[in-house]
Amino acid sequence: QVQLVESGGGLVQAGDSLTLTCKFTGDTFSNYAVAWFRQAVGTGREFVAAINRIGATTNYGNNVEGRFTISRDNDKGTLALQMKRLYPWDTNVYYCAAANTGLIPVTTPEYAYWGQGTQVTVSS
């Protein structure tokens, strides 16, 4: 059974940096595309970034491109999201997700597995 566990969230000030990590277990990590989404209270989940199976190709949401970097370590089974120049509107619960595909999905229905989320709060 695939499981995803996020860590690294917290309270930071505007302009700070923060790195989130997601640990994947239960299957062969390199068979999965993985991604980060985020969700504020009362809204749907917003695509943040995704990376393909071997880490060669990435895709970013418009609101984070140029500030966030997604990466993966297939040997360790981990996914990371390095976030720079954080703004208060980056405040969300951040979720990692996995899909058994060679593509790089960007919508929530395409991901079968989800973590529980980690809260990121950016104060002004």
Side-chain angles (χ1 to χ4, degrees), residues 49-107:
I51 189 167
N52 73 339
R53 286 172 168 172
I54 62 173
T57 305
T58 57
N59 196 341
Y60 293 92
N62 291 336
N63 289 333
V64 306
E65 192 160 13
R67 299 188 297 123
F68 292 10
T69 302
I70 188 172
S71 62
R72 65 188 295 162
D73 186 328
N74 283 350
D75 291 333
K76 295 181 180 179
T78 58
L79 172 70
L81 183 69
Q82 184 180 35
M83 305 183 291
K84 297 181 178 179
R85 303 196 309 276
L86 285 162
Y87 293 97
W89 57 83
D90 291 316
T91 294
N92 279 279
V93 178
Y94 285 72
Y95 298 90
C96 64
N100 193 334
T101 177
L103 304 175
I104 313 177
V106 299
T107 63

Side-chain angles (χ1 to χ4, degrees), residues 1-123:
Q1 179 70 20
V2 170
Q3 289 190 326
L4 301 165
V5 178
E6 303 94 339
S7 62
L11 172 63
V12 297
Q13 293 186 333
D16 284 353
S17 300
L18 193 65
T19 298
L20 306 181
T21 301
C22 177
K23 176 65 177 175
F24 175 103
T25 57
D27 203 344
T28 303
F29 185 50
S30 58
N31 287 343
Y32 290 77
V34 281
W36 291 95
F37 289 79
R38 65 187 185 183
Q39 185 173 23
V41 175
T43 68
R45 288 189 184 181
E46 174 191 10
F47 171 72
V48 175
I51 189 167
N52 73 339
R53 286 172 168 172
I54 62 173
T57 305
T58 57
N59 196 341
Y60 293 92
N62 291 336
N63 289 333
V64 306
E65 192 160 13
R67 299 188 297 123
F68 292 10
T69 302
I70 188 172
S71 62
R72 65 188 295 162
D73 186 328
N74 283 350
D75 291 333
K76 295 181 180 179
T78 58
L79 172 70
L81 183 69
Q82 184 180 35
M83 305 183 291
K84 297 181 178 179
R85 303 196 309 276
L86 285 162
Y87 293 97
W89 57 83
D90 291 316
T91 294
N92 279 279
V93 178
Y94 285 72
Y95 298 90
C96 64
N100 193 334
T101 177
L103 304 175
I104 313 177
V106 299
T107 63
T108 55
E110 297 175 279
Y111 285 90
Y113 303 100
W114 293 84
Q116 293 300 307
T118 186
Q119 176 71 48
V120 173
T121 302
V122 184
S123 64

